[in-house]
């Protein structure tokens, strides 16, 4: 049982997952550059996090984390504003938390997503946000650039709020939608 | 394609000195320079790297109007950040350089000291040099060179493929986005940002986003099958078509990046053996 959890955590690394993560990272990058509305210096209300939710639902935690991390690097690259690995790491950690979906039994690809799962999802999103942008990013920023923690926290707070809103307000209905879309497949049974 | 023009993606290799280097050289040199900029608090190092960045920028002949817009934006963001730092801690320089020579007293709490100005300037240079080096790197690398370069520093090739595949997919996203936008407009959606409010814009974002995400992810199966049919992921190693043998220029740059690496190691060892009293070097 323990090993299968670990496998769920890592995800299955076949070609499908690689393509999924690649497309997710590309979407994440483009949305981060163009799909955002500025709210504070260095941060904006971006819809990019929705992509991470989809990858999480389809492939699990580690692919979701890679999508967010690589996606952020791609955003930095195509946006041209330089690489800020402190924020990429923050996104990576958040992706990991968002991707925990299959570990508490929400199997979107099989159409399983209940209210209970939604509540756990919301809690992990909030916790993940706080760990990612309240701890990891400020720590790395002060380590790399010796920025005053107060400002990083201001930026982090706005990131936490905006990501939280996107993940919960858009993410949960979207997960229900995806689950419903996949549910129709489940009445087919495999013949021996 | 309006969207792709505003992106910094180079698909076709250019002809300048930096363009002709191999992916390995570009990626390694870039990562080491970024690492150096993270480790170093020495204004002399930062200025030297910035000078290198500026020379590099000029040599790659970038799209100047785009670069200018971005640079102005980065300058303003950076200055705003510095102002915030000063606002939260007017004595920012004291911890970093030691000493506090007050130049101007504004109120009981707010004053300007020479050390703070110097520390803020160092930080400004740290950010701007990181920005310059990244911009330079972005201007001279193609996605497949980047994958090859990442592979050369022992990143698993499946992750490298994620990077190059993601870049390959960006023009497709741009095309899909345009199509969805046009069909939404045909259904009577107002997309002029001046005519609609904040929440209406948010809602529109989502309405365009959903079909974009779903249609993109529906394509996974096709792409994965095509890759499987061509035998992707069967071997343990991989070679890259874009990667060429080391040229004379590559060898010169190799010396440069090895020196950079040695510099980073020297700084780290210096910090452990003889920890400096203050984080920043200062001229006086």
């Amino acid at each position: 049982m323990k090993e299968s959890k670990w496998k769920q955590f890592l995800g299955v690394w076949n070609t499908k997952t690689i393509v999924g993560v690649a497309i997710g990272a590309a979407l994440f990058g483009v949305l981060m550059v163009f799909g955002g509305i500025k709210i504070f210096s260095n941060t904006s209300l971006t819809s990019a996090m929705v992509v991470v939710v989809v990858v999480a639902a389809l492939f699990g935690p580690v692919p979701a984390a890679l999508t967010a991390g690589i996606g952020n690097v791609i955003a930095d690259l195509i946006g041209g504003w330089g690489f800020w690995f402190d924020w990429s790491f923050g996104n990576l950690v958040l992706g990991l938390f968002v991707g925990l979906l299959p570990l508490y039994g929400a199997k979107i690809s099989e159409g399983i997503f209940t209210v209970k799962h939604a509540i756990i999802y919301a809690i992990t999103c909030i916790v993940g946000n706080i760990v990612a942008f309240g701890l990891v990013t400020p720590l790395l920023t002060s380590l790399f650039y010796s920025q005053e923690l107060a400002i990083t926290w201001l930026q982090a707070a706005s990131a936490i709020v905006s990501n939280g809103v996107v993940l919960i307000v858009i993410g949960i209905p979207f997960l229900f939608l995806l689950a419903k879309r996949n549910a129709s497949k489940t009445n087919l049974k495999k013949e021996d | 394609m309006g969207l792709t023009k505003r992106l910094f993606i180079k698909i076709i290799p250019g002809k300048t000195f930096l363009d002709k280097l191999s992916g390995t050289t570009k990626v390694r040199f870039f990562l080491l320079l970024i690492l150096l900029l993270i480790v170093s608090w020495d204004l002399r190092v930062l200025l030297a790297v910035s000078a290198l960045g500026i020379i590099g920028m000029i040599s790659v002949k970038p799209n100047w109007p785009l670069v200018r817009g971005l640079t102005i934006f980065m300058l303003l963001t950076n200055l705003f950040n510095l102002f915030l730092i000063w606002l939260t801690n007017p004595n920012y320089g004291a911890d970093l350089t030691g000493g506090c020579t007050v130049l101007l007293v504004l109120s009981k709490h707010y004053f300007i000291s020479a050390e703070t100005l110097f520390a803020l300037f160092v930080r400004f240079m740290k950010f701007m040099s990181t920005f310059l080096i990244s911009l330079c790197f972005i201007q001279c690398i193609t996605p497949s060179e980047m994958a090859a370069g990442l592979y050369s520093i022992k990143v698993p090739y499946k992750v490298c493929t994620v990077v190059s595949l993601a870049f390959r997919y960006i023009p497709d996203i741009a095309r899909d986005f345009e199509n969805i936008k046009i069909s939404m407009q045909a259904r009577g959606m107002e997309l002029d940002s001046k005519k609609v409010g904040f929440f209406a814009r948010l809602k529109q974002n989502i309405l365009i986003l959903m079909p974009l995400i779903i249609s993109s992810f529906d394509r996974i199966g096709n792409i994965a099958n095509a890759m499987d049919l061509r035998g992707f992921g069967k071997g343990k190693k991989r070679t890259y078509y874009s990667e060429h043998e080391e040229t004379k220029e590559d060898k010169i740059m190799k010396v440069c990046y090895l020196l950079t690496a040695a510099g980073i190691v020297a700084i780290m060892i210096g910090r452990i053996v003889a920890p400096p009293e203050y984080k920043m070097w200062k001229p006086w």
Side-chain angles (χ1 to χ4, degrees), chain B residues 11-77:
Chain B
I11 307 284
I12 304 155
K15 294 202 164 43
T16 65
F17 174 78
L18 285 177
D19 280 308
K20 278 184 186 161
L21 297 172
S22 70
T24 312
T25 314
K26 286 179 202 172
V27 169
R28 286 185 183 173
F29 200 15
F30 168 72
L31 287 178
L32 283 169
L33 277 178
I34 291 286
L35 199 62
L36 178 70
L37 289 176
I38 285 173
V39 188
S40 174
W41 282 98
D42 196 324
L43 187 62
R44 293 164 294 185
V45 175
L46 298 180
L47 284 176
V49 176
S50 306
L52 214 65
I54 291 169
I55 294 167
M57 272 313 284
I58 294 167
S59 82
V60 292
K61 301 193 181 93
N63 177 357
W64 284 113
L66 205 61
V67 170
R68 197 182 309 132
L70 196 68
T71 312
I72 291 169
F73 171 74
M74 282 307 288
L75 272 173
L76 290 178
T77 322

Side-chain angles (χ1 to χ4, degrees), chain A residues 13-27 30-31 33-38 40-42 45 47 50-51 54-55 58-59 66 70 73-74 76-85 142-148 150-151 154-155 170 174 177-178 181, chain B residues 3 6-9 30-31 34 38 41 70 73-74 77 80-81 84-85 88-89 92 96 123 126-127 130-131 134-135 137-138 146 158-159 161-163 165-167 169-170 173 198 201-202 205-206 209-210 212-214 216-218 220-221 223-224 227-228 232 279:
Chain A
W13 277 92
N14 56 18
T15 317
K16 240 181 185 158
T17 315
I18 293 168
V19 176
V21 172
I23 288 181
L27 275 170
V30 171
L31 289 176
V33 178
F34 293 107
I37 300 166
K38 267 237 138 355
F40 191 66
S41 76
N42 291 13
L45 186 59
S47 40
V50 182
V51 179
V54 180
V55 177
L58 294 174
F59 303 108
L66 276 177
I70 296 179
V73 174
I74 286 174
D76 289 351
L77 196 69
I78 59 180
W81 50 61
F83 293 86
W84 310 106
F85 291 110
S142 65
L143 204 71
F144 290 176
Y145 305 109
S146 178
Q147 176 153 314
E148 280 292 302
I151 295 156
L154 261 176
Q155 288 175 344
I170 306 174
F174 199 64
L177 196 87
L178 270 179
R181 204 163 165 262
Chain B
L3 193 68
R6 279 156 61 201
L7 298 173
F8 284 93
I9 311 178
F30 168 72
L31 287 178
I34 291 286
I38 285 173
W41 282 98
L70 196 68
F73 171 74
M74 282 307 288
T77 322
F80 178 65
N81 268 347
L84 280 179
I85 291 177
T88 44
N89 183 5
Y92 178 68
L96 290 163
R123 226 192 75 98
K126 208 166 152 104
F127 263 76
T130 309
F131 168 67
S134 316
L135 197 55
F137 175 70
I138 292 159
M146 188 155 166
K158 290 190 172 176
V159 178
T161 308
V162 168
V163 176
L165 206 60
F167 277 104
Y169 197 68
I170 287 171
I173 294 176
F198 179 78
R201 256 167 78 198
L202 215 62
N205 253 336
I206 296 162
L209 195 66
M210 291 307 151
L212 185 65
I213 289 176
I214 289 173
S216 300
F217 280 94
D218 275 348
I220 292 177
I223 301 173
M227 283 165 70
D228 276 335
F232 176 80
K279 213 166 183 180

